[in-house]
Amino acid sequence: NGEEAIAFLRRRGRYADKPRPDLILLDLNLPRKDGREVLLEIKADRSLKTIPVVVLTTSSAEEDVLRAYDAHANCFISKPVDFEQFARVVKSIEDFWFHVVVLPPRDL
């Protein structure tokens, strides 16, 4: 859920010893605190805002796309329904973000 995601990213409680992620795959439809709120919190936090956020969600609504980019998402991908297509999308995300892009240092 979104509250747990923020706790993890801020290394609070049981997540205190967890490493900072290099990339965040974010679903907009999270319980408790939805992905839109999580994205806004990430990008408003000086220590988290440089982590790239890939919105990977079932939505393809224009409003969701615009709101995500307005909140500084690094990209927006609509999840394919078919598992094989989904696996290809995840592989392309991995290839791009971990083999093509230069990511910021982990500890800023």
Side-chain angles (χ1 to χ4, degrees):
N1 69 53
E3 291 175 359
E4 289 285 317
I6 292 297
F8 180 89
L9 292 169
R10 292 195 172 133
R11 300 182 214 162
R12 291 188 181 147
R14 66 183 178 164
Y15 305 113
D17 62 343
K18 301 300 180 195
R20 172 189 162 105
D22 292 322
L23 178 71
I24 298 168
L25 298 179
L26 182 64
D27 191 341
L28 295 181
N29 301 312
L30 297 174
R32 298 178 103 178
K33 180 179 286 201
D34 77 13
R36 295 159 193 85
E37 294 171 284
V38 171
L39 177 59
L40 289 169
E41 268 193 65
I42 291 168
K43 295 304 182 177
D45 185 315
R46 191 169 191 269
S47 67
L48 300 175
K49 70 181 180 180
T50 60
I51 303 172
V53 177
V54 174
V55 174
L56 181 61
T57 189
T58 55
S59 176
S60 58
E62 186 175 304
E63 179 181 346
D64 285 335
V65 175
L66 291 172
R67 284 179 65 193
Y69 283 116
D70 281 345
H72 305 288
N74 296 88
C75 67
F76 189 104
I77 300 170
S78 294
K79 284 184 196 174
V81 178
D82 176 74
F83 179 76
E84 287 181 25
Q85 289 177 341
F86 178 74
R88 280 195 295 274
V89 166
V90 170
K91 178 69 175 137
S92 69
I93 292 168
E94 176 188 7
D95 288 344
F96 180 73
W97 287 101
F98 294 114
H99 302 290
V100 176
V101 172
V102 176
L103 294 169
R106 281 182 171 219
D107 296 315
L108 294 177

mmCIF file of all heavy atoms in Angstrom, residues 41-69:
data_model
loop_
_atom_site.group_PDB
_atom_site.id
_atom_site.type_symbol
_atom_site.label_atom_id
_atom_site.label_comp_id
_atom_site.label_asym_id
_atom_site.label_seq_id
_atom_site.Cartn_x
_atom_site.Cartn_y
_atom_site.Cartn_z
ATOM 1 N N GLU A 41 4.412 12.929 -2.899
ATOM 2 C CA GLU A 41 5.303 12.921 -1.727
ATOM 3 C C GLU A 41 6.743 12.656 -2.117
ATOM 4 O O GLU A 41 7.661 13.294 -1.596
ATOM 5 C CB GLU A 41 4.852 11.866 -0.716
ATOM 6 C CG GLU A 41 3.906 12.407 0.306
ATOM 7 C CD GLU A 41 3.706 11.471 1.473
ATOM 8 O OE1 GLU A 41 4.665 11.213 2.227
ATOM 9 O OE2 GLU A 41 2.568 11.001 1.629
ATOM 10 N N ILE A 42 6.951 11.711 -3.011
ATOM 11 C CA ILE A 42 8.314 11.391 -3.450
ATOM 12 C C ILE A 42 8.956 12.616 -4.075
ATOM 13 O O ILE A 42 10.080 12.988 -3.739
ATOM 14 C CB ILE A 42 8.303 10.217 -4.458
ATOM 15 C CG1 ILE A 42 7.916 8.912 -3.768
ATOM 16 C CG2 ILE A 42 9.661 10.093 -5.156
ATOM 17 C CD1 ILE A 42 7.600 7.781 -4.729
ATOM 18 N N LYS A 43 8.269 13.237 -4.988
ATOM 19 C CA LYS A 43 8.861 14.347 -5.732
ATOM 20 C C LYS A 43 8.945 15.642 -4.919
ATOM 21 O O LYS A 43 9.668 16.557 -5.292
ATOM 22 C CB LYS A 43 8.111 14.565 -7.052
ATOM 23 C CG LYS A 43 8.249 13.381 -8.023
ATOM 24 C CD LYS A 43 9.714 13.060 -8.304
ATOM 25 C CE LYS A 43 9.871 11.920 -9.288
ATOM 26 N NZ LYS A 43 11.276 11.656 -9.628
ATOM 27 N N ALA A 44 8.250 15.703 -3.774
ATOM 28 C CA ALA A 44 8.353 16.864 -2.888
ATOM 29 C C ALA A 44 9.450 16.683 -1.842
ATOM 30 O O ALA A 44 9.807 17.636 -1.153
ATOM 31 C CB ALA A 44 7.014 17.115 -2.194
ATOM 32 N N ASP A 45 9.986 15.483 -1.741
ATOM 33 C CA ASP A 45 10.991 15.170 -0.724
ATOM 34 C C ASP A 45 12.383 15.287 -1.333
ATOM 35 O O ASP A 45 12.731 14.563 -2.268
ATOM 36 C CB ASP A 45 10.753 13.749 -0.213
ATOM 37 C CG ASP A 45 11.663 13.370 0.940
ATOM 38 O OD1 ASP A 45 12.883 13.646 0.875
ATOM 39 O OD2 ASP A 45 11.150 12.760 1.893
ATOM 40 N N ARG A 46 13.176 16.194 -0.801
ATOM 41 C CA ARG A 46 14.517 16.464 -1.349
ATOM 42 C C ARG A 46 15.382 15.209 -1.437
ATOM 43 O O ARG A 46 16.156 15.047 -2.373
ATOM 44 C CB ARG A 46 15.208 17.524 -0.482
ATOM 45 C CG ARG A 46 16.466 18.050 -1.089
ATOM 46 C CD ARG A 46 16.945 19.285 -0.326
ATOM 47 N NE ARG A 46 17.998 19.947 -1.063
ATOM 48 C CZ ARG A 46 19.290 19.687 -0.893
ATOM 49 N NH1 ARG A 46 19.673 18.793 -0.021
ATOM 50 N NH2 ARG A 46 20.200 20.330 -1.596
ATOM 51 N N SER A 47 15.243 14.300 -0.479
ATOM 52 C CA SER A 47 16.084 13.105 -0.460
ATOM 53 C C SER A 47 15.570 11.993 -1.380
ATOM 54 O O SER A 47 16.291 11.041 -1.650
ATOM 55 C CB SER A 47 16.219 12.573 0.966
ATOM 56 O OG SER A 47 14.981 12.095 1.442
ATOM 57 N N LEU A 48 14.339 12.109 -1.868
ATOM 58 C CA LEU A 48 13.754 11.066 -2.715
ATOM 59 C C LEU A 48 13.524 11.496 -4.157
ATOM 60 O O LEU A 48 13.426 10.658 -5.047
ATOM 61 C CB LEU A 48 12.407 10.602 -2.134
ATOM 62 C CG LEU A 48 12.419 10.014 -0.728
ATOM 63 C CD1 LEU A 48 10.999 9.729 -0.272
ATOM 64 C CD2 LEU A 48 13.280 8.776 -0.662
ATOM 65 N N LYS A 49 13.420 12.787 -4.395
ATOM 66 C CA LYS A 49 12.943 13.275 -5.688
ATOM 67 C C LYS A 49 13.815 12.890 -6.876
ATOM 68 O O LYS A 49 13.349 12.890 -8.009
ATOM 69 C CB LYS A 49 12.723 14.776 -5.657
ATOM 70 C CG LYS A 49 13.969 15.605 -5.581
ATOM 71 C CD LYS A 49 13.612 17.077 -5.535
ATOM 72 C CE LYS A 49 14.841 17.943 -5.467
ATOM 73 N NZ LYS A 49 14.468 19.355 -5.427
ATOM 74 N N THR A 50 15.077 12.536 -6.643
ATOM 75 C CA THR A 50 15.933 12.158 -7.780
ATOM 76 C C THR A 50 15.784 10.690 -8.174
ATOM 77 O O THR A 50 16.330 10.277 -9.189
ATOM 78 C CB THR A 50 17.412 12.443 -7.476
ATOM 79 O OG1 THR A 50 17.802 11.694 -6.332
ATOM 80 C CG2 THR A 50 17.646 13.934 -7.283
ATOM 81 N N ILE A 51 15.060 9.913 -7.383
ATOM 82 C CA ILE A 51 14.818 8.521 -7.765
ATOM 83 C C ILE A 51 13.811 8.522 -8.914
ATOM 84 O O ILE A 51 12.709 9.063 -8.778
ATOM 85 C CB ILE A 51 14.252 7.689 -6.596
ATOM 86 C CG1 ILE A 51 15.184 7.721 -5.391
ATOM 87 C CG2 ILE A 51 13.999 6.244 -7.048
ATOM 88 C CD1 ILE A 51 14.594 7.087 -4.131
ATOM 89 N N PRO A 52 14.165 7.931 -10.049
ATOM 90 C CA PRO A 52 13.206 7.888 -11.151
ATOM 91 C C PRO A 52 11.955 7.089 -10.774
ATOM 92 O O PRO A 52 12.053 6.043 -10.131
ATOM 93 C CB PRO A 52 13.966 7.182 -12.272
ATOM 94 C CG PRO A 52 15.404 7.272 -11.895
ATOM 95 C CD PRO A 52 15.442 7.326 -10.400
ATOM 96 N N VAL A 53 10.804 7.616 -11.170
ATOM 97 C CA VAL A 53 9.530 6.951 -10.907
ATOM 98 C C VAL A 53 8.876 6.607 -12.240
ATOM 99 O O VAL A 53 8.575 7.495 -13.043
ATOM 100 C CB VAL A 53 8.581 7.839 -10.069
ATOM 101 C CG1 VAL A 53 7.237 7.144 -9.877
ATOM 102 C CG2 VAL A 53 9.212 8.189 -8.729
ATOM 103 N N VAL A 54 8.666 5.310 -12.434
ATOM 104 C CA VAL A 54 7.958 4.807 -13.596
ATOM 105 C C VAL A 54 6.551 4.449 -13.133
ATOM 106 O O VAL A 54 6.385 3.558 -12.291
ATOM 107 C CB VAL A 54 8.654 3.556 -14.185
ATOM 108 C CG1 VAL A 54 7.822 2.941 -15.303
ATOM 109 C CG2 VAL A 54 10.056 3.904 -14.664
ATOM 110 N N VAL A 55 5.569 5.169 -13.623
ATOM 111 C CA VAL A 55 4.182 4.833 -13.309
ATOM 112 C C VAL A 55 3.799 3.672 -14.220
ATOM 113 O O VAL A 55 3.861 3.777 -15.448
ATOM 114 C CB VAL A 55 3.247 6.042 -13.512
ATOM 115 C CG1 VAL A 55 1.798 5.631 -13.335
ATOM 116 C CG2 VAL A 55 3.616 7.159 -12.552
ATOM 117 N N LEU A 56 3.473 2.549 -13.601
ATOM 118 C CA LEU A 56 3.094 1.321 -14.314
ATOM 119 C C LEU A 56 1.745 0.905 -13.763
ATOM 120 O O LEU A 56 1.650 0.380 -12.655
ATOM 121 C CB LEU A 56 4.152 0.234 -14.078
ATOM 122 C CG LEU A 56 3.939 -1.112 -14.753
ATOM 123 C CD1 LEU A 56 3.915 -0.960 -16.264
ATOM 124 C CD2 LEU A 56 5.031 -2.085 -14.331
ATOM 125 N N THR A 57 0.700 1.194 -14.517
ATOM 126 C CA THR A 57 -0.652 1.065 -13.982
ATOM 127 C C THR A 57 -1.627 0.597 -15.051
ATOM 128 O O THR A 57 -1.310 0.629 -16.240
ATOM 129 C CB THR A 57 -1.088 2.426 -13.379
ATOM 130 O OG1 THR A 57 -2.303 2.269 -12.666
ATOM 131 C CG2 THR A 57 -1.220 3.497 -14.436
ATOM 132 N N THR A 58 -2.797 0.175 -14.618
ATOM 133 C CA THR A 58 -3.817 -0.274 -15.570
ATOM 134 C C THR A 58 -4.491 0.891 -16.276
ATOM 135 O O THR A 58 -5.103 0.714 -17.313
ATOM 136 C CB THR A 58 -4.898 -1.110 -14.858
ATOM 137 O OG1 THR A 58 -5.440 -0.345 -13.778
ATOM 138 C CG2 THR A 58 -4.323 -2.416 -14.343
ATOM 139 N N SER A 59 -4.368 2.072 -15.728
ATOM 140 C CA SER A 59 -5.029 3.242 -16.307
ATOM 141 C C SER A 59 -4.334 3.706 -17.586
ATOM 142 O O SER A 59 -3.117 3.634 -17.712
ATOM 143 C CB SER A 59 -5.015 4.404 -15.312
ATOM 144 O OG SER A 59 -5.566 5.561 -15.913
ATOM 145 N N SER A 60 -5.137 4.180 -18.505
ATOM 146 C CA SER A 60 -4.599 4.887 -19.664
ATOM 147 C C SER A 60 -5.376 6.199 -19.847
ATOM 148 O O SER A 60 -5.336 6.811 -20.901
ATOM 149 C CB SER A 60 -4.692 4.021 -20.928
ATOM 150 O OG SER A 60 -6.030 3.662 -21.177
ATOM 151 N N ALA A 61 -6.067 6.588 -18.780
ATOM 152 C CA ALA A 61 -6.874 7.807 -18.814
ATOM 153 C C ALA A 61 -5.975 9.028 -18.996
ATOM 154 O O ALA A 61 -4.955 9.168 -18.322
ATOM 155 C CB ALA A 61 -7.680 7.945 -17.523
ATOM 156 N N GLU A 62 -6.350 9.892 -19.909
ATOM 157 C CA GLU A 62 -5.570 11.094 -20.189
ATOM 158 C C GLU A 62 -5.313 11.908 -18.919
ATOM 159 O O GLU A 62 -4.209 12.431 -18.714
ATOM 160 C CB GLU A 62 -6.289 11.940 -21.239
ATOM 161 C CG GLU A 62 -5.489 13.132 -21.699
ATOM 162 C CD GLU A 62 -6.178 13.886 -22.819
ATOM 163 O OE1 GLU A 62 -6.483 13.268 -23.858
ATOM 164 O OE2 GLU A 62 -6.412 15.102 -22.636
ATOM 165 N N GLU A 63 -6.308 12.011 -18.053
ATOM 166 C CA GLU A 63 -6.157 12.767 -16.810
ATOM 167 C C GLU A 63 -5.051 12.161 -15.937
ATOM 168 O O GLU A 63 -4.248 12.885 -15.352
ATOM 169 C CB GLU A 63 -7.470 12.797 -16.031
ATOM 170 C CG GLU A 63 -7.356 13.559 -14.730
ATOM 171 C CD GLU A 63 -8.647 13.568 -13.925
ATOM 172 O OE1 GLU A 63 -9.710 13.217 -14.470
ATOM 173 O OE2 GLU A 63 -8.574 13.940 -12.747
ATOM 174 N N ASP A 64 -5.011 10.830 -15.841
ATOM 175 C CA ASP A 64 -3.972 10.177 -15.045
ATOM 176 C C ASP A 64 -2.587 10.412 -15.639
ATOM 177 O O ASP A 64 -1.624 10.657 -14.917
ATOM 178 C CB ASP A 64 -4.233 8.675 -14.926
ATOM 179 C CG ASP A 64 -5.361 8.358 -13.955
ATOM 180 O OD1 ASP A 64 -5.622 9.173 -13.039
ATOM 181 O OD2 ASP A 64 -5.977 7.294 -14.108
ATOM 182 N N VAL A 65 -2.495 10.339 -16.961
ATOM 183 C CA VAL A 65 -1.211 10.578 -17.636
ATOM 184 C C VAL A 65 -0.741 12.004 -17.356
ATOM 185 O O VAL A 65 0.404 12.225 -16.936
ATOM 186 C CB VAL A 65 -1.327 10.328 -19.154
ATOM 187 C CG1 VAL A 65 -0.040 10.702 -19.866
ATOM 188 C CG2 VAL A 65 -1.697 8.875 -19.446
ATOM 189 N N LEU A 66 -1.620 12.976 -17.562
ATOM 190 C CA LEU A 66 -1.260 14.379 -17.340
ATOM 191 C C LEU A 66 -0.896 14.655 -15.888
ATOM 192 O O LEU A 66 0.107 15.327 -15.603
ATOM 193 C CB LEU A 66 -2.399 15.298 -17.781
ATOM 194 C CG LEU A 66 -2.653 15.348 -19.287
ATOM 195 C CD1 LEU A 66 -3.930 16.129 -19.594
ATOM 196 C CD2 LEU A 66 -1.461 15.950 -20.010
ATOM 197 N N ARG A 67 -1.685 14.120 -14.952
ATOM 198 C CA ARG A 67 -1.392 14.335 -13.528
ATOM 199 C C ARG A 67 -0.063 13.714 -13.132
ATOM 200 O O ARG A 67 0.684 14.287 -12.338
ATOM 201 C CB ARG A 67 -2.516 13.769 -12.657
ATOM 202 C CG ARG A 67 -3.762 14.653 -12.646
ATOM 203 C CD ARG A 67 -4.874 14.076 -11.809
ATOM 204 N NE ARG A 67 -4.499 14.007 -10.399
ATOM 205 C CZ ARG A 67 -5.178 13.326 -9.495
ATOM 206 N NH1 ARG A 67 -6.262 12.649 -9.828
ATOM 207 N NH2 ARG A 67 -4.788 13.297 -8.234
ATOM 208 N N ALA A 68 0.246 12.545 -13.685
ATOM 209 C CA ALA A 68 1.516 11.884 -13.359
ATOM 210 C C ALA A 68 2.692 12.724 -13.842
ATOM 211 O O ALA A 68 3.653 12.952 -13.100
ATOM 212 C CB ALA A 68 1.556 10.484 -13.971
ATOM 213 N N TYR A 69 2.626 13.190 -15.074
ATOM 214 C CA TYR A 69 3.727 14.014 -15.584
ATOM 215 C C TYR A 69 3.797 15.373 -14.886
ATOM 216 O O TYR A 69 4.892 15.880 -14.628
ATOM 217 C CB TYR A 69 3.646 14.167 -17.102
ATOM 218 C CG TYR A 69 4.127 12.940 -17.824
ATOM 219 C CD1 TYR A 69 3.263 12.185 -18.609
ATOM 220 C CD2 TYR A 69 5.456 12.523 -17.735
ATOM 221 C CE1 TYR A 69 3.702 11.053 -19.281
ATOM 222 C CE2 TYR A 69 5.900 11.392 -18.394
ATOM 223 C CZ TYR A 69 5.018 10.661 -19.167
ATOM 224 O OH TYR A 69 5.457 9.533 -19.826
#
